[in-house]
Amino acid sequence: DQQVKQNSPSLSVQEGRISILNCDYTNSMFDYFLWYKKYPAEGPTFLISISSIKDKNEDGRFTVFLNKSAKHLSLHIVPSQPGDSAVYFCAASAGLRAGNKLTFGGGTRVLVKP
Amino acid sequence: NAGVTQTPKFRILKIGQSMTLQCTQDMNHNYMYWYRQDPGMGLKLIYYSVGAGITDKGEVPNGYNVSRSTTEDFPLRLELAAPSQTSVYFCASSSLRSGTVEQYFGPGTRLTVT
C-alpha cells in the first residue's frame, strides 16, 4: 500500500518556465510534507516543507501548496533553471509522535532544457 | 560540520557474506535512520533510532540489524547478504526540535550482492 504517490515519473520543461510536480497521499495522520531533491550519486537534499496547518509555503523560487481535503500537494519551481534537473521526492511525516519517520513517494525526474 | 558521513561508498559482496555499513553524524541529532533505494523507486525505511540505546523497525527490516550505542553512530549490519539487498543505502539524521521534521542525508553506500 503506497501511502505517498508521485504519479508522474518524469517531467521536461524549458528553462525559465514553471515546473509543477504533484504528490498524493492517503494517510490522514501525516502532519508534515517535504520535498527533497536528489542528484545522481548523492544523498537527497531537503528543499522545502509545509505543515498541515498551512496551505502554502514559499522559499525563493520554490513554492509548495497543500490541499488537505484532496490529500494532494504540489511543488512549483519558477523560473526553472538547468541546475534544477534532478529527481524530486515528495515525503510525508506524522511528526515526533511517529519518530519523525518519512514516507517517500517514488520520485519525479525533472529535465530543464536550456 | 561534516553532517552525515557514510562508509564505504561502494561495496561488492558475495552471497552469504556479512558487512557493516557505517554512519556518523556530528550535528548532535537524536534521531537517526537507515533507508534503501532500489532503482527507479523511492526510499524505504529499514530501521530508525530516537536516541542512544533505542532502535525500532521500519518498513523493510528483514535481513538487517542495527545498534545505537552513541548519539553520533548508527551502524547497519547485513548478516547473510542476498541479491535482494543490492541497493543504495542512505543514512539520515534529524533534530528533536518540535516542528522540525526535515532529515539530513549522507551521500549513500552503493552495495552489490552477487
Side-chain angles (χ1 to χ4, degrees), chain B residues 60-74:
Chain B
V60 288
N62 291 344
Y64 307 95
N65 276 302
V66 293
S67 59
R68 183 98 182 268
S69 55
T70 67
T71 299
E72 295 78 20
D73 300 305
F74 190 39

Side-chain angles (χ1 to χ4, degrees), chain B residues 13-20 63-65 76-82 85:
Chain B
L13 279 183
K14 293 191 185 305
I15 295 171
Q17 286 185 322
S18 61
M19 76 164 294
T20 299
Y64 307 95
N65 276 302
L76 178 72
R77 178 87 178 156
L78 283 71
E79 289 293 350
L80 289 169
Q85 294 177 305

Side-chain angles (χ1 to χ4, degrees), chain B residues 3-48:
Chain B
V4 180
T5 56
Q6 293 183 238
T7 55
K9 283 188 167 34
F10 305 94
R11 184 72 187 267
I12 298 175
L13 279 183
K14 293 191 185 305
I15 295 171
Q17 286 185 322
S18 61
M19 76 164 294
T20 299
L21 282 69
Q22 302 291 347
C23 175
T24 300
Q25 54 92 8
D26 63 359
M27 297 175 283
N28 202 30
H29 285 170
N30 288 79
Y31 291 54
M32 295 187 74
Y33 311 83
W34 275 105
Y35 295 88
R36 60 176 285 173
Q37 185 192 14
D38 298 329
M41 308 287 282
L43 283 73
K44 292 191 184 300
L45 183 65
I46 304 171
Y47 269 96
Y48 70 104

Side-chain angles (χ1 to χ4, degrees), chain A residues 52-71:
Chain A
S52 58
I53 62 172
K54 294 186 173 182
D55 54 18
K56 177 182 173 181
N57 189 26
E58 195 170 350
D59 184 0
R61 296 187 297 114
F62 302 92
T63 303
V64 56
F65 296 92
L66 175 63
N67 183 334
K68 278 186 66 177
S69 59
K71 293 191 173 67

Side-chain angles (χ1 to χ4, degrees), chain A:
Chain A
D1 174 29
Q2 239 183 317
Q3 298 186 64
V4 178
K5 274 189 184 177
Q6 294 175 254
N7 290 319
S8 298
S10 63
L11 171 69
S12 182
V13 65
Q14 209 65 36
E15 180 179 4
R17 306 295 292 267
I18 185 171
S19 296
I20 300 177
L21 290 76
N22 294 301
C23 179
D24 297 297
Y25 63 96
T26 57
N27 190 339
S28 301
M29 300 298 287
F30 290 142
D31 284 335
Y32 301 92
F33 304 89
L34 306 87
W35 286 94
Y36 279 83
K37 176 179 181 179
K38 187 181 179 306
Y39 292 119
E42 293 185 11
T45 303
F46 170 72
L47 260 183
I48 191 169
S49 65
I50 188 168
S51 79
S52 58
I53 62 172
K54 294 186 173 182
D55 54 18
K56 177 182 173 181
N57 189 26
E58 195 170 350
D59 184 0
R61 296 187 297 114
F62 302 92
T63 303
V64 56
F65 296 92
L66 175 63
N67 183 334
K68 278 186 66 177
S69 59
K71 293 191 173 67
H72 177 84
L73 63 152
S74 62
L75 175 69
H76 293 206
I77 307 172
V78 55
S80 299
Q81 299 173 354
D84 296 332
S85 296
V87 178
Y88 290 78
F89 290 100
C90 169
S93 172
L96 285 176
R97 61 182 168 169
N100 259 10
K101 293 180 291 183
L102 294 180
T103 301
F104 284 84
T108 297
R109 184 177 300 277
V110 173
L111 176 62
V112 180
K113 298 179 181 176

